[in-house]
Amino acid sequence: DGPSQPAQAQPAGGIDALFTPTEAAAVLRIGRSKLYELIARGGIESVKLGRCRRFRRSDLDRFIRALAAEPTN
């Protein structure tokens, strides 16, 4: 078996898929530490389920769209 890939999220019944920090970091192709930096800066939204942090696919997509819209130098 090859390396595991994060699940391809497809909303079921209109509900966003939730990703773990490891899965969200893999989708964004960044490390978990960088992901937590983005949370602290308010750059990406997350939800808390008890003591666990999860990321909605729509929030990951919104973050990616915002990066694409930033002007390049």
Side-chain angles (χ1 to χ4, degrees):
D1 287 328
S4 64
Q5 297 284 325
Q8 295 299 316
Q10 296 296 326
I15 298 174
D16 255 348
L18 294 176
F19 291 85
T20 66
T22 300
E23 292 169 335
V27 167
L28 298 174
R29 306 267 198 266
I30 61 175
R32 283 183 43 191
S33 296
K34 183 65 174 179
L35 182 66
Y36 284 109
E37 283 179 33
L38 290 168
I39 295 167
R41 289 193 337 230
I44 193 164
E45 296 287 324
S46 65
V47 294
K48 295 271 303 218
L49 295 172
R51 292 174 41 200
C52 299
R53 190 170 294 276
R54 296 293 181 259
F55 299 84
R56 291 179 293 247
R57 180 64 201 217
S58 60
D59 291 330
L60 298 178
D61 291 340
R62 185 177 305 114
F63 175 76
I64 293 167
R65 283 192 304 275
L67 286 179
E70 287 182 3
T72 58
N73 295 339

